[in-house]
Amino acid sequence: MPSLDIATVRSAFPALSSGFLYADNAGGSQCLADAVAHISDYLLNTNVQLGADYAVSQKSTSRVASGADAAKELFNADSVDEVAFGSSATMLVENLTRAIEKDVNEGDEIIVTGEHEVLVYRPANAGPWKRLAARRGAIIKLWRPSQIAASPNNPYAVSLQLEALLPLVTAKTRLLAFTACSNILGSVVPVKQIVRAVREKARELGVPKLEVCVDCVAYAPHRRIDVKDWDIEYCVFSVYKVYGPHASVLYIRAPALTHSLSSLAHHFLSVDTKPYKVQPGGPGYEIVYGCTAVPPYLKSLAPSGALADAYDLIAEHEQTLLTPLLAYLRGKTDRGVRVVGDEYEGPSRVPTVSFVVAGERPIRSKDVVKAFDDRGDIGIRYGHFYAYTLVDTLQPKLNVDDAVVRISFVHYNTVEEVEKIIKVLDEVLA
Ligand SMILES: Cc1ncc(COP(=O)(O)O)c(C=O)c1O
């Protein structure tokens, strides 16, 4: 079995040569040199409005169109007409909830997870799905994380589990919106299995129309998305966390695009079967073109050149980062360290690791991170990371603003970097 060539991987990211240790990748990854080159080339050579007949415009049009090809490949969608671009996942989901509004009725139920503002159910009237529900008189139901059986003594060892979801499905369920991976808990949800089980129950109950939206923002840097295999209508992720520039992409399955969504675009544009329905106005053209650097890079990681194989190699390397860090944190249980999320490495765990220091000598998450900040050469972070509801509902209760310390790696991080972080942690926890 081949493994990742880390030296080659790192050489694709100029930022990594500075020696700074990037360990806040769940916030945003470093950007490929090729993506930057594409952006620069676009702006220097083809920076005109799309759709005209002159030569430069034809070239810029085809460059921007190739961005949709890249997104289609990353989603494993059927067509470029199923892909919309936007500046953030948050904005795209807001657009989606606006476009779907006429197809959501009073009393319809929307099941969401509390893991990100995109999907969140907060006391305030925040979050696109919550606002949609308020506009239409629909009902929001929260799929809460449950205790992981292998860690009965750590109350923060929780994950989203099917057993907690199924009772929420009723004859009125209209939408299910959840994260494929939590940006705090780091656990991967078995999307295909979840969707199959929910659809089966919905069929038994005679649900007239159930659609599924999956937030892959914290998932896409680590695992392959497959919207067809998963059998979902909507999917979103952010390219700036998947080694590209600051753009996000939304998948909309063709029948949903035609039948569930109303257009947000200008009335005189004929967009019935086009993603422009949820993409009013043009995205940043140079940024969209920059995104085309991502699939070739990912595929270059695997000898076979296949995206699925590349993600397998990424997942395998990530376990080598996760294993020593989780072992270290578990070893500090007596010092009051509690992993927030799955305490154990494995195929359904990505290297986004959160923890708190509780017990007799608690340390604020802010102070743990300060020890790193004071050094000036390592980037980690503390807080709720917009998984506000998730953090707020953990028991025993955490201060939601101080929340957790999060260390998040991706495939370009090295075992030596993990060891360096463990050394600093050891000083902090002494
Ligand atoms: C799980 C999850 N969903 C959604 C988002 C929001 O993404 P964006 O910044 O593109 O709006 C994030 C950002 O951290 C996230 O981690």
Side-chain angles (χ1 to χ4, degrees):
M1 168 91 177
S3 56
L4 277 190
D5 176 354
I6 294 300
T8 308
V9 163
R10 289 180 70 86
S11 67
F13 298 90
L16 300 182
S17 63
S18 72
F20 189 84
L21 199 170
Y22 290 95
D24 182 27
N25 297 287
S29 69
Q30 293 310 297
C31 187
L32 290 160
D34 275 352
V36 180
H38 278 65
I39 293 168
S40 159
D41 183 16
Y42 187 94
L43 288 172
L44 293 173
N45 299 304
T46 55
N47 192 29
V48 297
Q49 189 50 268
L50 310 188
D53 293 330
Y54 54 89
V56 179
S57 176
Q58 284 185 2
K59 190 159 180 189
S60 61
T61 305
S62 89
R63 284 183 156 189
V64 173
S66 64
D69 279 311
K72 166 182 174 273
E73 192 170 6
L74 292 170
F75 280 126
N76 194 28
D78 270 332
S79 157
V80 288
D81 284 341
E82 295 178 316
V83 170
F85 273 86
S87 59
S88 68
T90 309
M91 192 204 88
L92 283 169
V93 177
E94 180 64 39
N95 285 356
L96 173 62
T97 57
R98 295 264 161 198
I100 207 169
E101 196 168 304
K102 289 191 188 133
D103 203 37
V104 172
N105 299 310
E106 194 176 337
D108 281 356
E109 293 175 358
I110 304 174
I111 302 172
V112 300
T113 49
E115 302 192 83
H116 204 275
E117 170 66 14
V118 167
L119 306 174
V120 86
Y121 172 76
R122 289 174 68 164
N125 202 15
W129 297 107
K130 177 90 192 289
R131 286 194 293 269
L132 167 68
R135 290 196 298 275
R136 300 300 293 165
I139 294 151
I140 291 282
K141 289 179 148 185
L142 185 62
W143 175 16
R144 293 174 192 273
S146 324
Q147 183 72 40
I148 295 173
S151 300
N153 298 323
N154 176 1
Y156 301 131
V158 295
S159 66
L160 287 175
Q161 294 170 28
L162 181 61
E163 295 68 34
L165 170 62
L166 282 180
L168 302 178
V169 180
T170 73
K172 297 196 160 181
T173 304
R174 168 69 183 83
L175 282 151
L176 166 64
F178 65 97
T179 45
C181 178
S182 159
N183 61 325
I184 288 216
L185 305 176
S187 41
V188 175
V189 173
V191 178
K192 184 175 178 173
Q193 187 195 327
I194 296 282
V195 174
R196 197 196 292 133
V198 168
R199 290 206 191 279
E200 206 176 295
K201 175 147 187 207
R203 250 190 312 275
E204 280 165 23
L205 294 171
V207 171
K209 184 170 185 175
L210 167 74
E211 291 185 305
V212 180
C213 176
V214 182
D215 173 346
C216 282
V217 178
Y219 173 99
H222 310 284
R223 297 285 196 279
R224 173 98 170 101
I225 297 175
D226 192 336
V227 292
K228 278 190 283 196
D229 190 45
W230 290 352
D231 183 21
I232 59 175
E233 279 77 19
Y234 312 104
C235 185
V236 68
F237 75 92
S238 297
V239 188
Y240 73 91
K241 302 200 198 234
V242 193
Y243 322 115
H246 208 118
S248 298
V249 277
L250 174 69
Y251 162 79
I252 314 125
R253 187 146 85 181
L257 183 64
T258 310
H259 302 296
S260 302
L261 305 188
S262 306
S263 176
L264 304 177
H266 297 304
H267 67 91
F268 49 83
L269 295 176
S270 165
V271 291
D272 221 29
T273 57
K274 296 285 176 196
Y276 311 117
K277 253 182 157 173
V278 285
Q279 186 189 291
Y285 298 146
E286 68 279 9
I287 301 292
V288 171
Y289 184 49
C291 295
T292 63
V294 175
Y297 163 74
L298 288 172
K299 288 189 284 184
S300 77
L301 300 177
S304 66
L307 205 48
D309 292 343
Y311 270 103
D312 284 347
L313 292 179
I314 286 175
E316 186 197 76
H317 174 69
E318 287 180 349
Q319 292 303 309
T320 69
L321 309 174
L322 197 49
T323 304
L325 182 58
L326 286 177
Y328 174 79
L329 294 172
R330 285 195 309 268
K332 288 287 168 191
T333 304
D334 288 350
R335 175 63 189 85
V337 172
R338 299 284 176 274
V339 172
V340 178
D342 197 342
E343 296 182 310
Y344 295 95
E345 59 278 9
S348 59
R349 184 70 164 92
V350 307
T352 302
V353 176
S354 305
F355 66 92
V356 292
V357 186
E360 281 166 16
R361 286 189 296 136
I363 311 179
R364 288 186 309 175
S365 300
K366 185 182 171 148
D367 294 329
V368 174
V369 171
K370 185 169 182 310
F372 284 82
D373 291 342
D374 287 348
R375 294 173 49 106
D377 60 350
I378 300 177
I380 66 165
R381 200 165 172 171
Y382 76 95
H384 56 67
F385 302 101
Y386 289 23
Y388 186 98
T389 305
L390 169 77
V391 172
D392 202 31
T393 49
L394 289 172
Q395 292 293 338
K397 208 142 181 63
L398 296 173
N399 169 351
V400 75
D401 292 319
D402 191 56
V404 300
V405 179
R406 187 178 74 181
I407 298 169
S408 56
F409 298 119
V410 286
H411 71 289
Y412 54 58
N413 289 114
T414 63
V415 175
E416 292 72 37
E417 288 182 319
V418 180
E419 283 163 1
K420 191 169 172 180
I421 285 181
I422 290 175
K423 224 168 141 216
V424 181
L425 280 177
D426 223 27
E427 286 162 20
V428 179
L429 296 172

